[in-house]
Amino acid sequence: MNSLMLIIVILLPLCFGADNYSWYPTFHFSPPKGWMNDPNGLSYYNGYYQAFYQYNPYDTESGWMHWGHARSTNLLKWEHLPIALTPSLPEDIDGIFSGSAVVSDGNLILMYTGVSGNSTHQAQCLANSTDGINFDKLGLVLKKNGSDLNFRDPKVWKQGDSWFVIIGSKTDDDRGEVLLYQSLDLKSWDYQGVLAQADETLGYMWECPDFFTLGDKQILLINPQGMEQNGYDYQNLYQTGYFVGTWQPGEQYIIEKGFKEIDHGHDFYASQTFLAPDGRRILIGWLDMWESVFPERQEGWAGMLTLPRELTLSLNGTIEIRPIREVEDYRTEDVVSNNSVTLNDDSIFVLKEQVTSNEIIIELDPVKSNASTYGVRLGDEDQGVFVYVDTEKQRLFVERSYPQFNISRSDRSVAVDLSNPIYLDIFVDSSSIEVFVNDGESVLSSRIYPTELQRSLAVFHSEGSVTVNKYSIWNI
């Protein structure tokens, strides 16, 4: 590739529509224009966090995929760089699909899936950069024996003297699986076998696999396609979740805890993790879903990424998920109350009139409340997003309704313990909400599309009373 000049795009809110209002985010990563989906190549190189992503710069629909590229010093404020990878080789002429990045001998190496033959052939390719901005393609390095129609999304890491890569695939009888390969030089790869494989309930294809260590356990993160809804679980078109187990090179992966969703909202898929320089395991996902409506297309862009999250392993062997601590540096105090508030009858309590880019921490007290449902809402009684406890079902729900944008009323939920206060850390941006529950217990991420008249944040409840122990609101 020819040397490209560094381009810094300062992201400013766009102005569209009769009310001169935009859904372009303030503190979430989105493309400058066009379509984006999966985060790719998350890494740290030359003093910057690096984020690549599936990108169609020519349309607000998924199409001829490139790798967009941005970098950041703090994971919150990003500068856009030139497109890193454009289809050009026989092996990737139909698109640059997902992949990962590693640092080797001072260079930033990208491993990605190249697509050809009208997307019927998928193979793994390399690209190299000595500056983190310009990339030279090194070509094809790994093909699958037999059918290569579903063979994509390599995640690479180094362990000991060897490189390893896992790749999403499917069996001949339509069950998802993850394949494992080993190399000494990132170019010549030896097949090590199947790392894990789906049973009849876990989908026909596993996309965007990730494999990493938390504590003394190895986590396999996958994105199954084709899982059926099971009660409150697996309600989206596709899922993202993980197994907990143990593994060493040359041994089988022993799964100790079965598949568990890692995010329970309407919009979360194709997440990827990486190690920060301080050792934190950071996860970023696509804050959308393939069946989403994407009303922001009218503004010339579509898709966004989640707030980065830190992952830790709890004592009971489940992943705890918290927003990265860097967000605290961007808090501007707005409303803080450490006084308990109790609402009776059908009254509501307005916390803030206009919420556009805010963090809201609120503690609800089930023991002191006797309403059957209670929580907070952004909007009015009929339209908006509602985060509430249903005491009969013993669950916390995120429910949204934007019929003017063909988003019908629907909900997602997690179980909660009503014998203790429920602590919510809620991030609201121009077109998204992320609800972190009980300091790492769970998270629900959804896209929202409020107008300026649907930005009032209030506590609401059914008949009876609700007690809020404390709350804080910051501008971000």
Side-chain angles (χ1 to χ4, degrees), residues 22-300:
S22 171
W23 290 309
Y24 199 87
T26 300
F27 60 95
H28 285 78
F29 182 83
S30 291
K33 65 174 184 176
W35 164 275
M36 80 172 308
N37 52 285
D38 310 2
N40 299 152
L42 301 181
S43 52
Y44 188 84
Y45 178 73
N46 272 4
Y48 290 93
Y49 294 102
Q50 308 283 335
F52 304 84
Y53 55 97
Q54 292 287 277
Y55 185 40
N56 181 4
Y58 308 111
D59 199 352
T60 58
E61 304 276 352
S62 174
W64 197 38
M65 302 313 298
H66 300 52
W67 269 29
H69 185 199
R71 69 183 184 182
S72 173
T73 59
N74 57 20
L75 290 168
L76 289 171
K77 300 296 182 181
W78 296 88
E79 60 183 48
H80 283 268
L81 303 177
I83 292 173
L85 299 175
T86 298
S88 63
L89 303 178
E91 295 84 9
D92 68 20
I93 195 61
D94 286 341
I96 311 287
F97 278 15
S98 290
S100 53
V102 292
V103 178
S104 177
D105 297 327
N107 295 341
L108 185 61
I109 308 294
L110 308 182
M111 189 172 189
Y112 66 93
T113 297
V115 181
S116 61
N118 292 321
S119 298
T120 60
H121 299 292
Q122 299 177 4
Q124 315 317 313
C125 305
L126 287 185
N128 176 76
S129 176
T130 59
D131 61 6
I133 299 172
N134 305 291
F135 291 85
D136 296 313
K137 290 184 178 179
L138 304 180
L140 175 69
V141 295
L142 179 57
K143 293 184 69 175
K144 182 183 179 183
N145 291 331
S147 173
D148 55 4
L149 175 60
N150 293 283
F151 182 61
R152 56 184 177 268
D153 312 333
K155 180 62 188 292
V156 186
W157 75 96
K158 192 171 189 180
Q159 193 159 335
D161 294 328
S162 291
W163 295 97
F164 294 89
V165 64
I166 55 171
I167 300 173
S169 188
K170 66 187 298 187
T171 66
D172 291 338
D173 59 348
D174 292 334
R175 289 183 293 138
E177 64 180 359
V178 171
L179 307 179
L180 176 67
Y181 298 80
Q182 184 176 4
S183 174
L184 294 176
D185 60 4
L186 290 169
K187 297 177 181 178
S188 299
W189 292 92
D190 295 321
Y191 179 57
Q192 301 297 300
V194 176
L195 184 71
Q197 192 174 88
D199 61 19
E200 64 276 4
T201 68
L202 283 174
Y204 60 78
M205 174 67 194
W206 286 359
E207 290 194 311
C208 300
D210 199 346
F211 197 55
F212 54 91
T213 297
L214 286 180
D216 61 352
K217 302 297 181 181
Q218 282 67 54
I219 311 299
L220 175 60
L221 184 66
I222 59 169
N223 295 262
Q225 297 179 322
M227 292 184 69
E228 294 184 4
Q229 181 177 340
N230 181 16
Y232 292 109
D233 296 329
Y234 320 142
Q235 291 187 268
N236 293 337
L237 177 64
Y238 302 138
Q239 323 308 323
T240 301
Y242 65 94
F243 302 98
V244 178
T246 56
W247 176 83
Q248 289 295 326
E251 299 179 1
Q252 295 294 313
Y253 180 51
I254 306 300
I255 295 175
E256 300 173 348
K257 286 185 176 293
F259 183 80
K260 179 179 175 62
E261 287 181 280
I262 201 166
D263 190 293
H264 299 268
H266 295 82
D267 295 287
F268 186 90
Y269 193 64
S271 62
Q272 187 174 105
T273 75
F274 72 101
L275 273 180
D278 58 9
R280 288 177 296 164
R281 176 63 58 174
I282 306 295
L283 175 144
I284 301 176
W286 183 39
L287 215 173
D288 279 296
M289 181 46 63
W290 287 109
E291 77 264 41
S292 298
V293 179
F294 300 100
E296 70 266 25
R297 285 187 173 121
Q298 68 186 32
E299 300 180 3

Side-chain angles (χ1 to χ4, degrees), residues 337-357:
S337 174
N338 291 314
N339 298 319
S340 176
V341 175
T342 298
L343 303 181
N344 296 297
D345 303 321
D346 294 327
S347 59
I348 65 170
F349 179 53
V350 176
L351 297 172
K352 184 174 171 60
E353 289 289 351
Q354 278 290 311
V355 172
T356 55
S357 58

